[in-house]
Amino acid sequence: MREVFQAELKSIGDELIQMSKLVAEAMERAYASFETADTDIAQEVIAADQRIDYLQNSLDERAIDVLALQGPVASDLRMIVGSLRMSASLERMGDLARHIAQLTRLRYPNQVAPARLVDTFKEMARLDIKIAHKVTQLLETRDLTIASEIIALNTSVDKLHASVFRAVAEAEWAESAPVTADATLTSRYFERYADHGVSVARKVNYLVTGEWDPELSAALDQD
Amino acid sequence: MREVFQAELKSIGDELIQMSKLVAEAMERAYASFETADTDIAQEVIAADQRIDYLQNSLDERAIDVLALQGPVASDLRMIVGSLRMSASLERMGDLARHIAQLTRLRYPNQVAPARLVDTFKEMARLDIKIAHKVTQLLETRDLTIASEIIALNTSVDKLHASVFRAVAEAEWAESAPVTADATLTSRYFERYADHGVSVARKVNYLVTGEWDPELSAALDQD
């Protein structure tokens, strides 16, 4: 019985790791489509998001089965409930990558990003993808120094997000209103993707230490 | 033992209802601050969001205790796990109301909304508040006709959200880029608030019927 239970716990952990890899790939591909206005890649990202949604449902069902059949207690129970929260964050990361792909498809053959924000969005995407890779490592190792690295990366994303609003407010900003609206949403999507990475880091930290880290809590969407 | 368990389940249900009332009030107050550029009310909304966050944590802890101590099975177990999902949706509704209040405070003494979108945002806020009230009723009664009403209200919010992007793209749109960016975010916050209301409706529907309703699933953030 105990062995079956440990195997089930491991499966839940493996599914989270798999989800984190898929959302990293989703953002890599979404940004590739965004950068080059490639609707074929955008379409693939949109289609692949269903797989992430499916994995979340599968993980949830498995968690409920474990809760029902094994009656876990204490730390195992917290791990399972925490997994439900982490799967929800990962699923949202997939959605946000999909939103980037959808904007790309909507504006084709135009680029979504105005020239002066190309580098900013490139860097936001790079940081988001790095965060997703760090989330995978954190789930695999539970090494909490990685959680701190995720926080630092998120801080950089937040600064870039703020810089987009400063750019929009500058006198030299001469983009059309729809381009401004798209840039606002794009920045918001990148920023929220990073936030959800922090949510996962925060949850892992809690599961390992049993305490909420105030630094991790403060890093979330408090703007 | 069974009586204690039923009392615990009822407490979880009551906390969800309380959260839904608080997020309705949060949006009512956030919109009042937004409409009149009233930073005092905005500040109250921002401060009150902590209470909603606290309630979510409290509900989660209670759910974990019930899972640990009572070892519920079948439908009760699904209800408890579903409550964790619903509390997360309600907590995000509180965050989104807070974002409206924060934009209001940021732009004071200016209004966030340009004149031509005042009526649109007024209607989005009215629909959002109505959705939150319907969520309370749905949690209290589990009457699934209310879930369908929430879907219909969300469809109206989505249409208004799309109309904001059409307005921004019209030749007559003459607002500054920061006003355009703010209007984009405001519309997105109203739209996401409604989406989370649908998420709760979808979860209640699932708990009552045991099946995902395709209409409810399709209503979510698929834009």
Side-chain angles (χ1 to χ4, degrees), chain A residues 13-23 51-52 55 90 136 139:
Chain A
D14 288 347
E15 284 192 342
L16 283 176
I17 289 164
Q18 198 188 343
M19 283 184 80
S20 71
K21 288 178 179 171
L22 287 174
V23 303
R51 169 82 185 139
I52 298 170
L55 267 177
L90 292 165
T136 302
L139 290 168

Side-chain angles (χ1 to χ4, degrees), chain A residues 60 84-85 102 221 223, chain B residues 60 84-85 92 102 221 223:
Chain A
D60 285 7
L84 294 171
R85 288 262 182 261
Q102 283 167 321
D221 183 34
D223 60 303
Chain B
D60 284 8
L84 295 170
R85 288 263 182 260
R92 277 305 292 165
Q102 283 166 321
D221 185 32
D223 60 305

Side-chain angles (χ1 to χ4, degrees), chain B residues 58-77:
Chain B
S58 152
L59 189 148
D60 284 8
E61 290 301 317
R62 189 188 293 273
I64 289 171
D65 286 349
V66 175
L67 290 171
L69 298 175
Q70 316 280 351
V73 292
S75 63
D76 290 339
L77 177 59

Side-chain angles (χ1 to χ4, degrees), chain A residues 183-203:
Chain A
T184 303
L185 282 183
T186 301
S187 188
R188 173 86 181 153
Y189 296 151
F190 283 132
E191 185 253 338
R192 289 295 297 156
Y193 183 99
D195 276 345
H196 286 293
V198 171
S199 290
V200 176
R202 202 179 162 210
K203 186 57 79 177

Side-chain angles (χ1 to χ4, degrees), chain B residues 15 53-63:
Chain B
E15 284 192 343
D53 294 350
Y54 171 81
L55 268 177
Q56 189 201 5
N57 287 331
S58 152
L59 189 148
D60 284 8
E61 290 301 317
R62 189 188 293 273

Side-chain angles (χ1 to χ4, degrees), chain B residues 68-135:
Chain B
L69 298 175
Q70 316 280 351
V73 292
S75 63
D76 290 339
L77 177 59
R78 283 183 184 274
M79 203 291 267
I80 295 165
V81 171
S83 298
L84 295 170
R85 288 263 182 260
M86 290 190 273
S87 75
S89 295
L90 291 166
E91 190 270 332
R92 277 305 292 165
M93 290 168 85
D95 285 348
L96 290 158
R98 173 166 55 77
H99 289 340
I100 302 273
Q102 283 166 321
L103 258 185
T104 300
R105 193 176 60 175
L106 186 66
R107 296 310 175 201
Y108 178 85
N110 295 320
Q111 301 271 352
V112 176
R116 65 179 292 168
L117 289 181
V118 164
D119 288 348
T120 304
F121 289 148
K122 190 187 191 83
E123 181 63 5
M124 289 180 96
R126 189 186 71 81
L127 293 166
D128 274 3
I129 294 161
K130 196 163 175 184
I131 285 171
H133 287 313
K134 293 273 177 197
V135 166

Side-chain angles (χ1 to χ4, degrees), chain A residues 105-195:
Chain A
R105 191 175 60 174
L106 186 65
R107 297 309 175 202
Y108 177 85
N110 295 320
Q111 300 272 353
V112 176
R116 64 179 293 167
L117 290 181
V118 164
D119 288 347
T120 304
F121 289 147
K122 190 186 191 83
E123 181 63 3
M124 289 181 96
R126 190 186 70 81
L127 292 165
D128 274 3
I129 293 161
K130 196 163 176 185
I131 284 171
H133 288 313
K134 293 274 176 196
V135 165
T136 302
Q137 286 172 31
L138 178 62
L139 290 168
E140 283 172 343
T141 65
R142 299 195 163 215
D143 170 358
L144 296 184
T145 60
I146 299 170
S148 298
E149 289 166 15
I150 291 169
I151 304 304
L153 291 164
N154 178 59
T155 303
S156 300
V157 174
D158 284 347
K159 284 179 184 163
L160 290 166
H161 184 52
S163 82
V164 170
F165 289 87
R166 279 200 308 278
V168 163
E170 280 170 7
E172 307 91 81
W173 182 266
E175 304 298 336
S176 71
V179 168
T180 304
D182 285 351
T184 303
L185 282 183
T186 301
S187 188
R188 173 86 181 153
Y189 296 151
F190 283 132
E191 185 253 338
R192 289 295 297 156
Y193 183 99
D195 276 345

